[in-house]
Amino acid sequence: MHDLFGDSVAYFEKIYESATKAARFYGFERIETPVLEDTRVFTRGVGASTDIVEKEMYNLKTKGGNSLSLRPEGTAPVMRAYVEHDMYTRPQPVKFFYFGPFFRHERPQSGRYRQFWQFGMETIGKGGPAVDAQIVSAIYGMLSDLGVKNIVVEVNSMGDSKCRGLYKGVLKKYLKKASLCADCKKRVTKNPLRVLDCKQCVEIKKEAPQIVDYICKECREDFKKTLECLDEAGVPYDLNPFIVRGLDYYTGMVYEFFAGEKEPLALGGGGRYDGLCELFGGGDVPATGAALGVERVVLAMQKAGVKIEEKNPQVLLAHLGDLAEKKSLRLLEQFRKANLPVYNCIGKESLKGQLSRANKLSVPWTLIIGREEAIEDNVVIRDMRDGSQEKVEMKDAVKEVKKRLKG
Ligand code: AMP
């Protein structure tokens, strides 16, 4: 679990800004579910035999004996909220986005944390190719706007529960004969699709049967239409028959986002999950969604050489002595009310240090409250470019600064 400060915060804020802007543009409203949920939200919603639930979830028992879990992903909680708040009574579909921390007890490595942040989008209540494509297109556009280079969207179809059953049988048969790692040997019976995600058992994919050959005519037609929608939205994609996502709830099209040419970085993924609402007792409700790993997007932006420009204020407020520092507080309030950003030096002692800060930030104007000015309720406005300065009354400071900034 990591602390967020300094540079990483600047990237986070930039991503948050772009994500919120994109989500709202496409008509998604914000939802933030609690970080702790009843464990059953995930055992039921994500699937008890998935790695996330079986191995990676942080579970705790309350004094009252309830089993709670730190949320490892966002889709199941959003669906829980949809059902809990009877959201099928609203005009459909309902479209949500979220941006928050998630928790998985994974082996730490570069770009993999035990607390990480995700931005997610979910459309619930109405489905179809265009609905799926809209989320892919929104995320693709947002990543492009953030300056991420070489974005690759890999797509596949998981069919529906019926055609996937057929494929699972065929895959199981094939895997039983293949040489697998110890984990995958267990997965073959419980969750054979998960073997296709294994980083160790890559060789078996060469000959493995592909799900697209087993999905039914309707699912194939639906997949084709979704790809046409992606074409229409201008999203390039690659077909990858082995994108199966680790979670049980997907049906129909699934996809993952990658960035970078060499050693592509997995940024996120999603797909359709028409069966999930039923698992929460909410009936047959179509749904689709995706999530991006925020730390990964930061890495991708840094890899692409994206720099975050800090907007420095045009004005710095310096003081000399305790009384002047106290008067700074009053002056700062005047600037806040006028919505004029000022870099403040509250807590800093030497005037020399404060002025050298002004030079570092290249602010064109510095306000200085010296000992005399503090007593007289005046302030000096100094033009940092030529060193010229003028004393004005403190009450006129905002007006005087505005005049100079305009000039
Ligand atoms: P998933 O919910 O597993 O499909 O993950 C979606 C995205 O979240 C991944 O592609 C990563 O970008 C990010 N992600 C998942 N797990 C982690 C983690 N442990 N640390 C950092 N990012 C993660």
Side-chain angles (χ1 to χ4, degrees):
M1 297 192 187
H2 62 125
D3 298 312
L4 272 176
F5 61 98
D7 234 18
S8 50
V9 169
Y11 282 93
F12 256 67
E13 284 183 346
K14 178 85 190 150
I15 296 168
Y16 177 75
E17 217 176 84
S18 295
T20 314
K21 199 171 136 204
R24 291 199 197 284
F25 175 81
Y26 292 102
F28 288 72
E29 65 173 290
R30 185 164 181 177
I31 187 168
E32 293 300 344
T33 59
V35 287
L36 271 179
E37 291 269 0
D38 189 309
T39 300
R40 285 168 298 182
V41 168
F42 305 108
T43 46
R44 237 182 247 170
V46 180
S49 67
T50 55
D51 277 6
I52 291 186
V53 170
E54 208 172 44
K55 296 191 197 157
E56 296 166 3
M57 211 150 69
Y58 285 92
N59 298 316
L60 60 101
K61 271 246 172 332
T62 64
K63 282 187 185 152
N66 294 325
S67 299
L68 303 182
S69 300
L70 279 170
R71 57 183 192 179
E73 60 93 55
T75 299
V78 171
M79 189 54 93
R80 192 262 314 134
Y82 178 88
V83 174
E84 189 176 325
H85 303 292
D86 294 333
M87 291 196 210
Y88 19 71
T89 57
R90 291 181 170 200
Q92 304 290 301
V94 294
K95 296 157 99 177
F96 283 124
F97 75 94
Y98 57 83
F99 194 105
F102 293 84
F103 306 83
R104 293 183 194 171
H105 190 269
E106 295 192 80
R107 217 156 38 84
Q109 48 186 284
S110 164
R112 194 169 283 284
Y113 301 96
R114 289 178 173 172
Q115 174 176 332
F116 57 97
W117 290 62
Q118 280 189 342
F119 160 64
M121 298 173 84
E122 318 279 354
T123 300
I124 308 174
K126 270 258 156 53
V131 178
D132 280 332
Q134 179 172 64
I135 291 187
V136 184
S137 156
I139 291 184
Y140 182 83
M142 173 197 141
L143 290 171
S144 315
D145 290 350
L146 285 169
V148 175
K149 298 251 165 64
N150 304 308
I151 308 165
V152 177
V153 190
E154 294 194 350
V155 300
N156 190 23
S157 173
M158 305 268 295
D160 57 24
S161 54
K162 281 180 242 124
C163 40
R164 187 151 78 239
L166 173 67
Y167 175 66
K168 269 188 180 172
V170 176
L171 183 65
K172 244 185 218 174
K173 229 182 194 172
Y174 167 80
L175 293 174
K176 278 194 176 144
K177 288 189 217 136
S179 113
L180 301 173
C181 72
D183 271 350
C184 284
K185 277 186 186 144
K186 284 185 227 149
R187 286 175 183 141
V188 172
T189 17
K190 279 208 269 180
N191 194 353
L193 292 180
R194 195 71 186 83
V195 177
L196 300 175
D197 271 344
C198 177
K199 301 271 175 318
Q200 290 176 55
C201 302
V202 276
E203 283 300 305
I204 59 109
K205 287 194 209 170
K206 283 186 186 153
E207 306 279 320
Q210 302 185 356
I211 196 162
V212 279
D213 296 328
Y214 295 87
I215 59 178
C216 63
K217 202 167 144 236
E218 288 81 36
C219 287
R220 191 163 310 152
E221 192 54 32
D222 186 87
F223 187 36
K224 196 172 141 247
K225 282 189 189 151
T226 315
L227 298 181
E228 284 165 9
C229 287
L230 290 179
D231 290 335
E232 206 62 53
V235 178
Y237 53 83
D238 291 340
L239 297 177
N240 178 346
F242 296 119
I243 293 281
V244 288
R245 314 279 294 135
L247 316 180
D248 275 0
Y249 52 56
Y250 287 106
T251 50
M253 185 174 82
V254 287
Y255 45 88
E256 288 190 359
F257 291 88
F258 296 90
E261 277 169 324
K262 281 183 238 150
E263 297 183 40
L265 188 64
L267 300 183
R272 195 185 291 179
Y273 51 94
D274 288 351
L276 182 59
C277 194
E278 192 111 54
L279 299 176
F280 287 109
D284 188 9
V285 173
T288 186
L292 276 181
V294 178
E295 286 84 354
R296 302 281 179 87
V297 179
V298 170
L299 279 176
M301 287 169 74
Q302 290 171 337
K303 257 192 177 170
V306 176
K307 295 262 181 301
I308 309 285
E309 300 271 324
E310 289 279 346
K311 261 203 206 132
N312 286 335
Q314 300 275 84
V315 185
L316 178 140
L317 172 58
H319 61 267
L320 179 63
D322 290 347
L323 182 62
E325 188 179 34
K326 199 161 89 184
K327 294 274 163 102
S328 293
L329 293 170
R330 188 205 298 171
L331 201 51
L332 275 174
E333 285 315 292
Q334 292 174 18
F335 278 88
R336 184 185 60 77
K337 284 180 191 149
N339 199 20
L340 211 78
V342 173
Y343 185 94
N344 79 85
C345 296
I346 299 294
K348 297 198 190 329
E349 276 177 7
S350 92
L351 182 61
K352 198 168 149 222
Q354 296 174 48
L355 293 178
S356 82
R357 185 90 209 138
N359 281 326
K360 246 201 196 122
L361 294 171
S362 310
V363 295
W365 302 99
T366 297
L367 303 176
I368 306 166
I369 311 179
R371 292 190 211 284
E372 211 180 282
E373 287 81 22
I375 295 166
E376 296 166 346
D377 271 346
N378 286 334
V379 59
V380 168
I381 304 178
R382 183 186 177 101
D383 186 333
M384 297 301 283
R385 290 151 297 190
D386 60 12
S388 63
Q389 50 189 52
E390 193 183 334
K391 200 187 273 192
V392 302
E393 283 187 55
M394 217 177 263
K395 67 172 177 42
D396 296 328
V398 170
K399 192 175 70 191
E400 291 294 330
V401 167
K402 271 191 178 164
K403 213 158 64 186
R404 286 166 175 76
L405 288 176
K406 258 194 200 145

